[in-house]
Structures are given as structure tokens and as C-alpha cells.
Amino acid sequence: MASTLVLLLLSFLASVALAPLAFRYSGKVLGLCIRARSTDRRNILLEASQSTEGQTAIHLEKPALRDEDEDGDWEQVGSIELPAVENGKPAGKDWRGVIGFFHPFCNAGGGGERVLWAAIRATRIRYPSAVLVIYTGDHGATKSAILSRVQERFNIDLEPTNLHFLYLSTRHYVLASTWPHFTLLGQSIGSLVLALDAFSLLVPDIFVDTMGYAFAVALSKWLFPDVPTGAYVHYPTISTDMLDSLTPSSTAQDHRGVNAGAGTGAKGLAKRKYWELFAKLYSRMGGEVDAVMTNSSWTQAHIQTLWGSRRKKLRRNNPISVVYPPVAVEELEQEIIVSRDTESNRKPYLLYIAQFRPEKNHELILEAFASFLKESQPPPNPTVPHLLLLGSVRSDADSTRVYNLRLLTHELRLTEHVTFLCDASWPEVLQYLGSSTVGVNGMWNEHFGIGVVEYQAAGLISVVNASGGPKNDIVVDVTGGSTEDGGAGRTGFHASTAAEYQEAFMSAMELPDGEKVKMRLRARRNARRFSEAEFSGKWLDHLAMLVDMRRRKG
Ligand SMILES: *[C@@H]1O[C@H](CO)[C@@H](O)[C@H](O)[C@H]1NC(C)=O
Ligand SMILES: *[C@@H]1O[C@H](CO)[C@@H](O)[C@H](O)[C@H]1NC(C)=O
């Protein structure tokens, strides 16, 4: 068994590298065998999903989970309104295929999982008759345990009907610890083993990777050329910055520290060759994905560089698009009203929501705030501005940091003007979001910044570090828009140094009320780009393309 596996994987890698006809065909033949072997399971799953009892297929899903309340009291999902008709055709209510989601860590509860579950929710609404299968390695977790965690963690209610978990037994192959040397390559080969494990359980009609396993998608294409594939990429497995960082004269900022100049000498040369080879392989694999979504413009640019030419060669002409992860924008819009009338609810508060972690740079914000107060006080100011530092304290290290920040507050003579809000509840957070004027973010090169989107959705005027996602993706100028909607213009301020932050605080706080309201409205309008509805719409556009491909193939 092990040797067959090795042989199979080797021939797969060779086929991608050489791509002669023979290898293409060997893939197809192997695919046919694998498909034949899992047909029974597939039929049982489909039948079970279509029968009203629905849940009899559970016995297929190790560990044997027989939850009595499987179809118990789950709320019908329906919070997102989706168009029922698309190009004049019914929106796929009738489509009965199997969509396989490759997400071996589906119970991890992180940002990547939020995307997975939001995608599944949207898919469920658009394709109610489709069978959704999640390939996961979370053996310890039963279906109902996973679904209730999804509910608690992400507030996403999913009915168990037509949703199945298939448990993979080879997940350790993708752990970095399994591959102390050549980790990138090792993990990628591991993902092939894992994907093979998945396909031997069930071959889906559409295969979607939501964790960044491009090699797994390519394997799917090799074995089952008729199965359309999709990928949602959070982060490129190898980035062009990494390659650049090996050159001493590199301009890459991100990775300079770790690898700067490591490209010189024999060892460096070997490393460079290895990385280049891997990048080439990764590009080949990525080129096989039919629908590519990325979570940010940064990732999009990198994936475009890596996969673009291969995709072009294979005539995959649909663009690699940015589909931002969903943020609870709708809820904030509902809870917090932004208008001229509510402007009187806003206090001169600057709100900084962030965990108490070194990279959040609270010290610099405190210093900037101190000099801002000094500058802005003497003229008779009716209310003195106040800085609110809101964050969760999860460990002793966090408590120590809060203690030190309090000391600094004292030193800067800010005790009366700074409030620490530790572990506030969501209703409290909402209250501060609704009553503050400015939202602050001090982190350098934050990849995204969900918190900043929340500021904008709540109508705060953002002051963020001029770097990363907050600068490039979120606090950007908006165009168009009616006057009642704030019109065109900026949605906040960027700053890099304490002095610039001080200036930005000043500019934001001293805007006339009318201008403040306009900027709030613009920020809110801008935040809609990251809403759940926006995510669902874009996700479904891509999925519709895959369903269409599948239909055309019969
Ligand atoms: C994209 O994913 C990466 C890796 O998980 C993360 O660091 C980044 O913040 C994400 N970007 C967005 C826009 O969520
Ligand atoms: C903002 O980012 C710059 C780098 O662009 C960094 O040097 C600076 O310390 C950051 N400032 C704050 C207040 O976080």
C-alpha cells in the first residue's frame, strides 16, 4: 500500500513537471479506479440526502456519531438575502451535485474557518439540493459538536441536512513538525497524501480548497479532469518577497529580517535553488485551479505573479479575484445609527480596540495622545478628549502589559484622560463604538484589520498606521455616492510617527460637525465592501461558474 502510494505520488509529480500525454492518461485511469471504489459511498450519501429522513448517511462518517438531535431545533438559515434568479435562470435550487470542501482543520475556529463557514452558509442557501461534504481531520469532533462550535464562535447557524463530514486519517502529513527539513515541499507532498485520502472516501463533483493546498487541487485535476476546482487563498505558500529576501540588495520589506543576505554562499545558493524550484512547482499546481479567490489585494498580487502565466497558458481566463473575508458589518449598521441627529451622542473619545500585545504599539499611541492633549487643551474646550483602550486580557503576559501601560499613562500624566476597558462584553463594545469619535489602530503592517472595518461600519473616523491592510485595503478614499451618503472623499487618516498621529487626531477631532458626519457616512459606505452580503455574492459568483462547468460536462 505504502509503495503504491509513493509510486502514485511520484508519477503525479513527474506528470506535472513533464506533462506528456502518457501521464495525463495514467491520471485519468487512476482517477477512474478511485472513483469506482467510492461510488457506493457516494450513492448512499446522495440517497440519504434526498430522502426526508436525510441523516441516515451518518454511519459513513467516522467517528460513528449518532446524535439524536441531528435534525432537532436548528434555525432555518435565512439572514442573507440572495437573488433568487441569475441571468434569468433559476438560481440552482435544482442542482444536486456534491461539493467537496477540503479543509482538514475545519474545527480550528480561526479566521480561515470563518470564511469556510460563511461560504458554506451562502452555498446552502443558493444550492439547497446540493450535498456539501467537508473533508476534515478533526477526529475528536462529532458533526453536532463542530456545528455548535460554529454557531457559538461565528454566530453562523447551519442545518445538518445535506451537510456531511468525511474524516481523514492522514492529517499529520501536513504538519510542519512532520517535515523538519524541506518543510514547504514536505507539507505539500503531505497535502497530496491527504487529498488522496479524501478522494478515496468520496470523489466530489466540484472540489474546493479553502486552506491553501494548491497541490491537492492539482491532484484532483490530474485524477478527475472533469471535476471543476476552486481555491480560496489566504496566503501564498511561497511568496515572491521570500525569494527576493535572499538577495542582499533586496527591496522586500517583509522578510528582510530573517533571511536577509542568506542567498550568498553555497548553502544560500542551495536554499535559493530549492525555493525557486518550489515556486515553480507551486505555480504549476496553482495554474490548475479553475476559480481562484484571494482574501486581500496583497495575496491577490502575489498569487497573480505566481500562477498568472500558467493559468494563461491553460486558458483559464477568469481573473484571480479578491473576495474579502466577511465582517459583521450588517450587525453594526443595524445597531449604530449615523446621522446628523446622532452626532450629539458622539463624545470626544478616541477608541483603540486591540489585544494588549506588543505589536499593537499602545505606547506610541499613548505618547501621541499626550502631545495631542497638550496642543489641544488651552483654548476653552468644552470637553476634554479621552482615550479608551479596549482589549481582551487572555494571559498573565497580557495583564503585565496592561500594568506597564498604566504606569506609562501615569508618567505621561494621562491618568484622567485614559480608560482601560479589559474584556468588555459585546454590548459594551457596541456602546463605545456608537459613542466615540475616532477609531485608532497603531499596528504596523497589519495584514488586514477586521477591527478597522468595524470602526468604519460603526461610523468612526479611523486613524491608522500608514501600512498594510488598514492603509491599502480599508482606510481608502471612496468615489461617487450621493450627498446624503457622504459623497466622495477620504474615510480616515494615515500616520506613521507619534507626531503624525497627533496631527491626525487633531484633524479628525476638529472637523466641523457636518464634515464629521459626512466622513462617517463615507466610512460606513466603504465598510460595505467587507460585508457578509458582499462576501456571499462574490463567493457565489465563483461557485456558479464551477456549477456551470460541471453541468456542461453532464
Ligand atoms: C488573509 O489571510 C492571512 C493569513 O491567514 C491573514 O494574515 C490576513 O489578515 C488575511 N487577510 C484578510 C483580508 O483577512
Ligand atoms: C507605524 O508604522 C511605522 C512603519 O511604517 C512604524 O515605524 C511606527 O512605529 C508605527 N507607528 C505607530 C504609532 O504604530
Side-chain angles (χ1 to χ4, degrees), residues 240-513:
T240 31
D241 290 3
M242 265 166 90
L243 287 170
D244 292 346
S245 72
L246 287 177
T247 320
S249 64
S250 140
T251 49
Q253 299 283 325
D254 280 0
H255 299 270
R256 179 174 281 179
V258 199
N259 292 301
T264 50
K267 209 167 159 206
L269 193 70
K271 182 162 200 171
R272 159 169 289 275
K273 283 286 164 236
Y274 162 55
W275 277 7
E276 279 173 1
L277 182 79
F278 183 80
K280 230 175 237 163
L281 214 51
Y282 182 61
S283 306
R284 281 278 172 136
M285 302 287 169
E288 298 294 331
V289 188
D290 294 309
V292 189
M293 293 159 265
T294 58
N295 79 345
S296 63
S297 49
W298 184 88
T299 306
Q300 197 269 352
H302 282 265
I303 291 294
Q304 179 63 43
T305 315
L306 288 159
W307 296 0
S309 62
R310 180 73 186 161
R311 280 172 62 76
K312 209 162 160 194
K313 211 156 151 194
L314 296 174
R315 296 187 198 292
R316 296 201 162 88
N317 294 325
N318 56 308
I320 295 175
S321 37
V322 180
V323 178
Y324 290 112
V327 180
V329 167
E330 284 92 339
E331 188 188 346
L332 287 166
E333 283 203 4
Q334 262 166 26
E335 299 286 339
I336 297 167
I337 297 168
V338 175
S339 72
R340 265 228 85 124
D341 299 340
T342 55
E343 197 53 28
S344 55
N345 302 344
R346 300 274 178 179
K347 311 268 182 326
Y349 294 162
L350 298 99
L351 176 66
Y352 187 13
I353 303 183
Q355 276 186 303
F356 293 102
R357 290 282 157 79
E359 68 271 18
K360 301 294 183 184
N361 223 340
H362 286 90
E363 290 83 356
L364 228 148
I365 299 300
L366 280 170
E367 279 165 33
F369 180 66
S371 39
F372 163 63
L373 271 193
K374 246 184 239 145
E375 291 291 314
S376 70
Q377 248 172 15
N381 227 338
T383 29
V384 180
H386 207 91
L387 179 67
L388 306 173
L389 300 176
L390 191 155
S392 54
V393 178
R394 301 223 177 119
S395 62
D396 288 347
D398 290 0
S399 322
T400 312
R401 282 193 51 74
V402 172
Y403 180 78
N404 289 331
L405 287 171
R406 282 186 196 279
L407 287 184
L408 179 62
T409 308
H410 200 76
E411 258 169 54
L412 293 169
R413 299 180 193 286
L414 290 177
T415 333
E416 291 186 355
H417 308 292
V418 176
T419 305
F420 286 83
L421 302 159
C422 296
D423 297 315
S425 67
W426 180 239
E428 285 172 311
V429 174
L430 275 177
Q431 191 208 316
Y432 292 116
L433 282 169
S435 60
S436 300
T437 293
V438 168
V440 184
N441 188 313
M443 187 173 163
W444 173 65
N445 244 350
E446 179 147 48
H447 272 131
F448 186 52
I450 289 181
V452 180
V453 175
E454 289 174 347
Y455 290 160
Q456 291 205 327
L460 295 184
I461 297 172
S462 302
V463 176
V464 300
N465 194 306
S467 65
K471 177 187 179 202
N472 298 313
D473 288 315
I474 309 173
V475 185
V476 296
D477 294 356
V478 294
T479 53
S482 61
T483 343
E484 307 87 80
D485 230 1
R490 63 195 308 173
T491 60
F493 299 87
H494 303 156
S496 294
T497 59
E500 283 174 27
Y501 270 90
Q502 177 208 326
E503 235 170 82
F505 291 160
M506 194 82 84
S507 310
M509 296 297 256
E510 290 183 353
L511 282 176
D513 272 6

